Amino acid sequence: MTQPPQMSPDDVQHQAIREQNLRAAAENTANEARYADPRDAAARFPFNGRWTRRDWAHASLFATLGALVIGMVPGFSNAMRTGGEGPQLTTLSLPLPPLSATPRAQAAQQRAWDLAKVEKGQTLGAIFESRGIPAATLHRLLESSSDRQALTRLRPGAELGFDQAADGRLVAFRYDRNDTQRVELSLAGDQVVEKVIERPVEVRTAVISGKVGKSLFHSARKLGLSPSVINTLTDEVFKYDIDFDRDVTSGDRFSVVVEQTWREGELIRSGPVTAAVFTAKGKPFTAVRFERDGKGEYFTAEGRPLKKSFIRSPIQYARLSSRFGTRRHPVLGTSRMHKGVDYAARSGTPIMAAGDARVVSAGWQGGYGNTVVLDHGKGHTTLYAHMSRTARLRRGERVSQGQVIGYVGSTGLSTGPHLHYEFRVNGVHRNPLQHTMPPPEPLTGTALAQFRQQTAPALARIRDVEEVIYATVPAQPSQADAQVAAASVPRGNRG
């Protein structure tokens, strides 16, 4: 027999490797044939019982994604618990209560009001015409309104409201009948529907105190006092004792008790002044309001009327340019007695009667120019000269204190616009700045008791405010030593 040739060790190793590769290829072919069925897809990835790092990473990723899906999808977690332990949750669809019709009705009633304020001298017809509203529409409103007279007599500053369609047609109109009532007139076809809205007001008693800065008016307005209240202080309450052009300086103090009317959080009116204390050049002046015989008057804290027979100056906000006494006449150039005082002011400044009087004369008097002479009784007369013109006065006519009797000018022997003012007692000239009249009689008896009872709370409020702000200042009713304060107590609603 022929013996097969002997194989070298290398050939034996190569043959063994070739046979191993052939067996592996055969096994792979058999596996592919056995797992070709797609229904047995999981067998394509045989698991040998040990997890690799890659298997753990994949498992963690899928677990995290599953937790996120369960937490984010509503109802998914509840569905997963179905059939499990613990209580089962059931979702029910409950009907919601019907929406109230009130908000919708209120929204429908809200209108886009275009507001306008009545200017001085402006009429309702002119306002409607400026907005392109026909006069026929205005007549319909006047005929249907129960306040025809109120609409035809609008006061300056009154607020009107207009609701107009895109084509300019008037849909509704509103105005304030008074402080507590607002009237709305709605136009629906040929009909005008009137609606009255009640607007309650609240009256508060406020104490406002402060110091005079550059001017009394500026300081008082900054603290909230209205111009009418400031004018009451200067032109009515203290005009007999304080010359606000010369006696008031920076640093002087004032305290005012005033009634304020509020509506819907808005201050609509101030006054009257219940009590006031003004300290000018270190001297305090007190005034308290009290009704006597149905008429409101101002008295001192002791009950003596503040109103005197004569006011200190017949002209407001004027500069004293020449005093009483001997001087050199600016026109004649001679030295002669100046029998009055001169107040320099702009031409046309009103001149007031110094006291209640009867007109003696009103007209031209030589070097005096246009002049008015008044008789105040008991031998007292006053003269007002160099006027640009006098008021319409007749001889014997009665005039009241503070009434305008003429206007500043420069007629007669005058070098510039000013008022020459003379004061005479039984025909003898007296210095108006120094002559004093006997004080008026104070309240007595029952009137004085009523006065003290009614005015004590107002003076106490001023004292309380000043004690809080100036603890070192003695608390006396006649002292106004407050810097900046405002306190208010409501008195109640008025509807």
Side-chain angles (χ1 to χ4, degrees):
M1 258 181 96
T2 302
Q3 294 289 333
Q6 287 187 338
M7 301 174 62
S8 64
D10 293 337
D11 292 337
V12 174
Q13 183 177 1
H14 291 163
Q15 181 65 27
I17 294 173
R18 187 180 302 109
E19 291 177 355
Q20 184 178 358
N21 290 339
L22 290 174
R23 284 195 300 271
E27 290 178 0
N28 289 338
T29 302
N31 288 336
E32 288 180 0
R34 185 175 23 160
Y35 303 133
D37 189 357
R39 290 174 298 182
D40 198 10
R44 299 181 182 181
F45 306 98
F47 179 64
N48 58 5
R50 299 184 59 187
W51 282 39
T52 64
R53 293 182 180 179
R54 186 174 184 179
D55 296 332
W56 283 109
H58 289 168
S60 300
L61 178 61
F62 286 120
T64 303
L65 291 175
L68 291 175
V69 170
I70 293 174
M72 295 176 62
V73 177
F76 189 82
S77 58
N78 293 336
M80 295 293 292
R81 296 195 203 101
T82 303
E85 296 181 357
Q88 297 184 0
L89 301 180
T90 304
T91 303
L92 298 178
S93 298
L94 299 177
L96 294 177
L99 293 176
S100 174
T102 301
R104 290 199 297 267
Q106 291 179 349
Q109 294 177 358
Q110 292 181 355
R111 300 182 181 274
W113 292 107
D114 185 12
L115 304 180
K117 284 193 175 182
V118 180
E119 303 292 340
K120 185 176 181 180
Q122 202 173 26
T123 63
L124 187 61
I127 297 175
F128 271 62
E129 183 180 359
S130 65
R131 293 177 170 269
I133 303 175
T137 303
L138 174 58
H139 293 323
R140 286 177 55 197
L141 294 177
L142 294 177
E143 292 173 358
S144 305
S145 175
S146 59
D147 294 327
R148 179 186 179 94
Q149 191 175 24
L151 284 174
T152 55
R153 297 182 180 179
L154 294 174
R155 295 178 298 176
E159 185 180 81
L160 305 177
F162 295 85
D163 182 11
Q164 294 180 257
D167 58 358
R169 176 176 50 86
L170 182 64
V171 178
F173 170 73
R174 84 177 191 192
Y175 65 94
D176 293 334
R177 176 182 291 172
N178 47 48
D179 288 342
T180 61
Q181 289 183 330
R182 170 170 288 172
V183 180
E184 292 185 4
L185 301 174
S186 301
L187 285 77
D190 297 333
Q191 294 183 348
V192 177
V193 180
E194 181 179 272
K195 178 182 178 182
V196 179
I197 302 174
E198 297 294 335
R199 309 173 71 198
V201 298
E202 182 184 22
V203 178
R204 305 174 185 174
T205 300
V207 181
I208 300 178
S209 302
K211 278 188 176 183
V212 177
K214 294 182 179 179
S215 70
L216 171 62
F217 186 87
H218 176 77
S219 302
R221 287 291 291 143
K222 189 174 182 181
L223 291 176
L225 288 178
S226 65
S228 61
V229 170
I230 300 173
N231 291 336
T232 299
L233 295 176
T234 58
D235 303 345
E236 183 177 355
V237 179
F238 295 117
K239 67 179 180 179
Y240 305 99
D241 300 309
I242 303 175
D243 189 333
F244 285 92
D245 296 322
R246 289 173 291 275
D247 296 343
V248 177
T249 59
S250 177
D252 288 345
R253 299 181 295 271
F254 59 90
S255 296
V256 183
V257 180
V258 62
E259 289 187 350
Q260 296 180 337
T261 304
W262 292 78
R263 182 184 61 204
E264 300 173 357
E266 177 186 6
L267 177 64
I268 61 175
R269 188 174 58 254
S270 295
V273 174
T274 305
V277 182
F278 202 105
T279 302
K281 296 182 178 179
K283 183 178 180 180
F285 297 89
T286 304
V288 189
R289 190 176 187 272
F290 176 70
E291 289 193 3
R292 180 171 59 172
D293 300 329
K295 182 181 179 182
E297 301 179 43
Y298 288 96
F299 297 79
T300 64
E302 294 76 24
R304 189 179 296 275
L306 284 178
K307 182 178 179 180
K308 298 179 175 58
S309 301
F310 295 90
I311 57 179
R312 291 201 57 181
S313 174
I315 185 172
Q316 293 180 333
Y317 312 116
R319 177 176 57 86
L320 183 65
S321 57
S322 183
R323 296 180 177 273
F324 184 88
T326 304
R327 67 164 190 175
R328 184 179 182 86
H329 196 279
V331 177
L332 302 178
T334 59
S335 180
R336 56 190 298 180
M337 180 67 178
H338 188 230
K339 299 179 180 181
V341 292
D342 292 345
Y343 293 96
R346 305 177 72 175
S347 294
T349 302
I351 300 171
M352 302 177 295
D356 298 336
R358 178 179 55 84
V359 177
V360 176
S361 64
W364 190 272
Q365 287 194 23
Y368 282 127
N370 288 324
T371 305
V372 172
V373 179
L374 302 179
D375 183 3
H376 303 273
K378 298 182 180 180
H380 296 85
T381 59
T382 53
L383 178 144
Y384 313 79
H386 303 307
M387 295 182 179
S388 60
R389 61 186 177 91
T390 65
R392 294 182 178 179
L393 302 174
R394 298 187 305 271
R395 182 182 177 88
E397 180 182 349
R398 301 292 301 183
V399 295
S400 58
Q401 187 180 74
Q403 181 178 334
V404 176
I405 58 176
Y407 303 88
V408 170
S410 185
T411 58
L413 294 177
S414 171
T415 58
H418 72 284
L419 167 68
H420 175 77
Y421 173 60
E422 295 183 4
F423 187 88
R424 304 172 185 174
V425 180
N426 296 324
V428 179
H429 290 84
R430 300 291 180 88
N431 187 347
L433 302 180
Q434 295 180 354
H435 184 76
T436 58
M437 300 292 294
E441 293 296 324
L443 296 172
T444 58
T446 304
L448 180 59
Q450 294 177 349
F451 168 81
R452 289 174 176 172
Q453 181 181 6
Q454 294 182 17
T455 61
L459 294 176
R461 288 183 62 81
I462 292 179
R463 181 173 61 252
D464 292 342
V465 170
E466 294 176 352
E467 285 180 349
V468 171
I469 301 175
Y470 293 95
T472 59
V473 176
Q476 298 181 6
S478 60
Q479 291 184 344
D481 204 5
Q483 184 174 4
V484 176
S488 61
V489 173
R491 289 182 50 188
N493 294 334
R494 295 182 182 178

